[in-house]
Amino acid sequence: MQVVACRNCGSRNRVDESRLATSEAKCGRCGEALQADKHDSKPTVITDQTFERDVLQARGQPVLVDCWAPWCGPCRIIGPIMDQLAAESQGQYRIAKLNVDENPQTASRFQIASIPTMLIFKDGKLIDRIIGAQPKQTIAERLRVASRFAA
Ligand SMILES: [Zn+2]
């Protein structure tokens, strides 16, 4: 079970995850369909097409973009760390993933020479870059610094 706030009336509903996933869950008070907040619980998948909107136009919280590829061993270590950081974000930051093989335009724009590389953006500016598989604690600390950064 999970507690989800209704977007229409704000009342908190206890719902079964499987009903939430298939969009069958309705608010007990007003009947509005309940939606899980996917942005906060999972990394957002970014492409060359969505990069501008989802990363550069984002305001407020920092956005960390994990640049990765399926054949990269260290990226497989970072993947689950990204999932955990996304699940623990509590609205302080956003986690995104960019497959560099499928999105060469963004990868070359930010000169991604080795992967994994994590880019941290705030208010449309690149403010930090983390290269290589780093411990979760290190990445979390850089995100904390980024969230205090004033552009
Ligand atoms: Zn409601």
Side-chain angles (χ1 to χ4, degrees):
M1 299 291 272
Q2 193 181 332
V3 176
V4 178
C6 170
R7 288 180 191 201
N8 185 44
C9 73
S11 55
R12 294 167 74 79
N13 294 265
R14 283 171 63 83
V15 289
D16 190 81
E17 279 88 353
S18 63
R19 294 188 62 217
L20 205 56
T22 54
S23 311
E24 286 168 32
K26 299 254 190 314
C27 173
R29 190 160 150 203
C30 73
E32 179 82 4
L34 296 172
Q35 291 170 326
D37 204 343
K38 293 195 177 81
H39 270 299
D40 281 342
S41 57
K42 280 215 169 117
T44 309
V45 175
I46 302 288
T47 65
D48 281 344
Q49 286 70 42
T50 63
F51 181 81
E52 182 74 27
R53 186 195 71 204
D54 285 348
V55 179
L56 293 184
Q57 289 175 15
R59 293 294 177 265
Q61 321 136 302
V63 183
L64 180 149
V65 181
D66 171 27
C67 302
W68 72 289
W71 46 264
C72 153
C75 296
R76 283 194 281 273
I77 300 167
I78 287 294
I81 295 175
M82 292 297 120
D83 291 345
Q84 289 168 25
L85 286 170
E88 294 163 9
S89 72
Q90 295 183 306
Q92 297 301 300
Y93 53 80
R94 282 176 48 222
I95 301 289
K97 292 174 78 81
L98 178 93
N99 181 322
V100 295
D101 286 349
E102 292 171 2
N103 302 285
Q105 211 176 303
T106 306
S108 75
R109 179 173 174 183
F110 294 98
Q111 294 156 356
I112 307 299
S114 68
I115 49 173
T117 289
M118 285 148 274
L119 305 172
I120 302 179
F121 293 85
K122 177 107 186 268
D123 296 332
K125 289 199 188 79
L126 175 63
I127 61 165
D128 201 359
R129 180 187 288 254
I130 305 168
I131 297 170
Q134 302 282 340
K136 180 185 169 190
Q137 229 179 329
T138 305
I139 302 167
E141 180 53 31
R142 302 279 276 265
L143 279 166
R144 263 192 295 277
V145 171
S147 66
R148 289 194 298 260
F149 179 89

